[in-house]
Amino acid sequence: MVGAYVLYDLILPNMQQDIKLRYANEEYSDSLLSVVSKACESAGNKSREFLNMAMKEAVIQEYIKRNPIPATKPYPRKKPTIFILNKENVKRILKAAYNSGWYLETLLGLFCGLRKGEISGLKFGDFDAENRTIYIQRQITSNPVIPKGESKIETYEVIEKLPKTDNSYRRLRIPEAVAKEIERRRTLVDANKLQYGEQYFDRDYILCQENGLPRSTAAMNSALSK
């Protein structure tokens, strides 16, 4: 989604038409990035990253002899503001989440440090009740569908992907309260399986809709905002 926006809305509209690749040197790239960076706070950083990937590939394909982008002016990424919850705020969140249908997901985020996509990707098979552990080995994301040659999102599809990095694969000990909530969720899911019968999509997800399909990231975001 970001790549399509950077290419079709930022870089291409601001490029000189029909410029030869060999003339896209440091000076030209700096001039282009200077214009593009005015679009928004992150435009310079993302456009430079995009151009760097493109030029690296151009070197590999032997269209040019060297990548000029590392020599251009950097546009540092703004560091996000991190808010630390105190004990009272944690209690307020848990109290609000308890009857919302998202209590287990809130516990997994607060006390196990899981990303939202990792929570959505958890399956009952990842849960070891005897040793009270969970194994993180996948994530669920909302993947934007963008028609070729455009930058606008047509729709979103919920897909299963590998974890974000190699270090994201991990086995975690979980608190007893979390283990109990997983068993409660299993009971609820089993009841839904009986209710839906052959119409149930059994993919073993802990976090799922009543019919077994995974919930979207947007649904979790909405619940957290509330």
Side-chain angles (χ1 to χ4, degrees), residues 15-171:
M15 285 183 68
Q16 295 176 12
Q17 295 301 311
D18 299 325
I19 182 173
K20 301 292 185 181
L21 184 58
R22 63 178 178 271
Y23 296 135
N25 54 20
E26 289 92 335
E27 291 78 11
Y28 174 82
S29 300
D30 264 326
S31 176
L32 173 61
L33 288 170
S34 177
V35 175
V36 169
S37 65
K38 297 174 183 177
C40 65
E41 191 173 48
S42 61
N45 176 269
K46 289 300 178 184
S47 297
R48 189 169 182 262
E49 284 182 357
F50 192 99
L51 286 175
N52 189 47
M53 288 190 293
M55 291 298 189
K56 276 184 178 180
E57 187 63 25
V59 172
I60 292 171
Q61 298 292 333
E62 298 184 349
Y63 289 114
I64 54 177
K65 292 183 178 180
R66 96 188 155 81
N67 176 5
I69 304 303
T72 60
K73 174 188 172 182
Y75 291 84
R77 182 180 180 182
K78 184 180 178 181
K79 293 183 179 180
T81 302
I82 298 175
F83 298 94
I84 306 298
L85 300 175
N86 60 30
K87 190 174 182 179
E88 288 305 311
N89 283 335
V90 170
K91 285 182 177 180
R92 288 177 63 192
I93 288 177
L94 290 175
K95 184 177 180 180
Y98 187 74
N99 293 315
S100 70
W102 295 87
Y103 186 57
L104 172 57
E105 291 72 27
T106 306
L107 289 176
L108 287 166
L110 286 172
F111 299 115
C112 300
L114 301 191
R115 300 182 179 96
K116 288 178 285 188
E118 292 173 338
I119 294 172
S120 298
L122 278 177
K123 297 186 177 184
F124 289 106
D126 302 323
F127 173 53
D128 184 339
E130 183 177 349
N131 295 308
R132 221 167 68 198
T133 63
I134 52 173
Y135 182 52
I136 313 304
Q137 57 181 325
R138 76 187 68 80
Q139 62 174 324
I140 293 292
T141 63
S142 293
N143 193 49
V145 177
I146 304 172
K148 188 175 181 180
E150 298 182 16
S151 62
K152 304 302 180 185
I153 299 170
E154 186 177 76
T155 185
Y156 286 91
E157 57 181 355
V158 177
I159 62 171
E160 185 178 299
K161 295 174 63 177
L162 297 176
K164 193 171 183 180
T165 66
D166 289 341
N167 291 331
S168 297
Y169 289 91
R170 60 204 189 277
R171 189 176 300 278

